[in-house]
């Protein structure tokens, strides 16, 4: 979840009440800081920025969907993403929507829908990738790999994750997410030897984190690795 300072850079849709909107975001973010990804966080975010808003920000809808995905509630994540299906979006907004929709549909297991969605949007995504950060590029490749995994194209999924990500020191959550996704793919493929290697890499990456930003993150990511080894992302 983006910090209040990061969210402020994007701006709020209701300029006349941006201060009040910012305070609501700070209050919701406090739940994230204290307990991490929870149903309470998702519901508070939805209540503050989507369910009771006249014109919810596309960014907030995508971020809420991502939060629901973190607690494995993919159907609710999909429900919110559908709100953007026919909306006019900026390049950044559409990129975020496409990545989250592709990942969500893939995790639900609707591989044919995932492939169709990728086919419709791949030209845009390839062009937009040149304009986004390395982290956003990684999120795209993870989503594309999940689509291939859902279709049981496991080798292609693993190949996609070798796109040349450049690690950023010993506290790189994006790198850890890539390793966790690899664990998940090997688990789905029922490849025990590959899974052992993937688990070793993910656990080694986790050990590089001498300190986390929030107290809940250590146990959370250990559980993420364990879940991925059991075919749960």
């Amino acid at each position: 979840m983006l910090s209040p300072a990061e969210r402020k850079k994007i701006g709020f849709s209701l300029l006349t009440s941006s201060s009040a909107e910012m305070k609501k975001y700070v209050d919701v973010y406090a739940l994230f800081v204290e307990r991490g990804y929870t149903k309470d966080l998702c519901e508070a975010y939805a209540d503050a920025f989507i369910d009771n808003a006249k014109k919810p920000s596309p960014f907030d809808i995508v971020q809420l969907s991502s939060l629901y995905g973190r607690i494995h509630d993919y159907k609710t994540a999909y429900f919110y993403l559908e709100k953007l299906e026919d909306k006019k979006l900026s390049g950044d907004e559409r990129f975020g929507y496409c990545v989250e929709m592709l990942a969500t549909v893939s995790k639900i297991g609707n591989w044919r829908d995932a492939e169709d969605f990728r086919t419709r949007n791949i030209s845009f995504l390839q062009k937009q990738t040149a304009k986004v950060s390395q982290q956003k590029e990684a999120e795209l490749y993870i989503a594309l790999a999940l689509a291939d995994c859902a279709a049981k194209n496991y080798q292609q999924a693993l190949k996609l994750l070798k796109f040349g990500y450049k690690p950023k020191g010993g506290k790189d959550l994006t790198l850890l997410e890539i390793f966790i996704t690899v664990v998940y793919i090997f688990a789905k493929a029922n490849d025990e030897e590959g899974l052992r290697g993937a688990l070793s890499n993910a656990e080694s990456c986790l050990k590089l984190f001498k300190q986390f930003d929030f107290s809940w993150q250590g146990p959370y990511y250990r559980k993420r690795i364990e879940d991925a080894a059991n075919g749960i992302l």
Side-chain angles (χ1 to χ4, degrees):
M1 183 175 179
L2 288 190
S3 70
E6 292 168 324
R7 180 65 183 86
K8 189 174 182 179
K9 290 179 182 178
I10 297 172
F12 289 99
S13 58
L14 302 176
L15 298 179
T16 56
S17 60
S18 60
S19 179
E21 296 290 288
M22 194 64 202
K23 184 180 184 308
K24 286 196 295 183
Y25 193 88
V26 169
D27 290 343
V28 173
Y29 187 74
L31 295 176
F32 173 72
V33 171
E34 181 181 356
R35 291 190 289 163
Y37 301 103
T38 64
K39 184 177 181 180
D40 287 344
L41 172 67
C42 294
E43 290 178 347
Y45 199 121
D47 183 64
F49 294 105
I50 288 89
D51 294 346
N52 297 307
K54 291 182 179 179
K55 292 183 179 180
S57 161
F59 169 83
D60 287 318
I61 292 174
V62 170
Q63 181 162 240
L64 175 62
S65 298
S66 176
L67 296 179
Y68 269 111
R70 291 283 189 166
I71 62 171
H72 312 303
D73 188 348
Y74 307 123
K75 290 184 178 179
T76 303
Y78 182 79
F79 166 80
Y80 280 104
L81 287 171
E82 279 192 304
K83 294 179 180 294
L84 298 176
E85 191 171 10
D86 299 318
K87 300 292 185 182
K88 289 185 178 180
L89 304 174
S90 69
D92 287 343
E93 290 169 346
R94 184 181 170 191
F95 185 86
Y97 160 72
C98 286
V99 169
E100 197 59 39
M101 179 63 89
L102 187 58
T104 299
V105 173
S106 299
K107 285 184 279 189
I108 289 173
N110 294 342
W111 66 269
R112 192 175 297 280
D113 289 346
E115 287 195 346
D116 289 345
F117 186 85
R118 176 172 57 186
T119 299
R120 292 196 304 272
N121 294 282
I122 193 63
S123 179
F124 161 76
L125 289 168
Q126 288 174 334
K127 292 177 182 177
Q128 192 68 17
T129 300
K131 305 175 184 179
V132 300
S133 66
Q134 189 181 204
Q135 178 186 341
K136 293 296 182 183
E137 182 184 15
E139 290 172 4
L140 170 60
Y141 277 98
I142 288 173
L144 292 170
L146 291 176
D148 276 325
C149 182
K152 299 185 179 181
N153 296 325
Y154 304 117
Q155 290 305 313
Q156 177 61 24
L158 293 169
K159 184 179 179 180
L160 280 167
L161 294 176
K162 297 178 181 179
F163 63 94
Y165 181 78
K166 297 177 181 178
K168 299 178 181 178
K171 290 180 64 175
D172 191 337
L173 289 177
T174 300
L175 180 63
L176 183 55
E177 290 288 349
I178 292 171
F179 280 129
I180 290 172
T181 306
V182 172
V183 171
Y184 171 79
I185 293 170
F186 274 116
K188 285 293 190 180
N190 293 314
D191 184 335
E192 294 185 6
E193 182 178 353
L195 178 58
R196 285 194 295 271
L199 276 169
S200 178
N201 289 335
E203 289 164 356
S204 295
C205 183
L206 183 60
K207 288 177 182 177
L208 294 175
F209 287 78
K210 304 303 181 184
Q211 184 177 354
F212 285 95
D213 294 331
F214 310 116
S215 61
W216 53 266
Q217 284 182 305
Y220 168 76
Y221 281 105
R222 283 192 288 274
K223 184 67 163 56
R224 283 285 308 282
I225 294 172
E226 179 184 334
D227 284 346
N230 289 306
I232 302 169
L233 199 61

